[in-house]
Amino acid sequence: MTALQRGFTLVELLIVIAIIGILASVSTPLLLNARTSAFKKSVQAHSSNVFKAVNAIIAADQYVSISQLATAAQTACLNQTSSLTVGATTYQYGWNQASQVAASCIVTAGATNNITVTVTGNAQIGGISSVNGQQPQ
């Protein structure tokens, strides 16, 4: 090679571009799966936070009306709030809103005063649900 022939050949540049294309095609699905997984974990965490807050209120106040608590928690579940009001009492157990992923939040009181919190994700993440903070199905 003479001093005027410095640089890369066209074949070398095409090989590098092909390798970069292969790496991009392999990594793109992995990154999309990681995003969906993070959204599912967000739904699970929100469900768990609401469930723990409701149970903390029940533990702190044994005379609280479970049905009123479930109604108040369901109203506040999709709203960003720092307190939960049941009757005339305001409790300072708040949670952050899962705004980007939560489509619905249902809080129900069972016959034996057990609470069930179901958070359902939006269609963007497949509408998965988490019940009482358990791993989405």
Side-chain angles (χ1 to χ4, degrees), residues 76-82 95-97:
C77 185
L78 290 177
N79 300 324
Q80 203 162 10
T81 182
S82 61
W95 49 78
N96 290 326
Q97 179 183 9

Side-chain angles (χ1 to χ4, degrees), residues 24-104:
S25 67
V26 168
S27 64
T28 301
L30 296 176
L31 293 175
L32 292 176
N33 288 340
R35 184 172 185 229
T36 302
S37 177
F39 283 151
K40 287 180 181 180
K41 291 293 183 183
S42 177
V43 168
Q44 181 181 359
H46 190 59
S47 174
S48 177
N49 288 340
V50 174
F51 180 70
K52 288 175 185 177
V54 169
N55 280 306
I57 292 170
I58 293 170
D61 184 358
Q62 63 183 354
Y63 299 109
V64 68
S65 167
I66 301 298
S67 61
Q68 285 182 346
L69 177 61
T71 302
Q74 182 167 329
T75 301
C77 185
L78 290 177
N79 300 324
Q80 203 162 10
T81 182
S82 61
S83 63
L84 185 62
T85 302
V86 180
T89 307
T90 299
Y91 300 94
Q92 294 299 322
Y93 296 100
W95 49 78
N96 290 326
Q97 179 183 9
S99 60
Q100 293 184 355
V101 295
S104 69

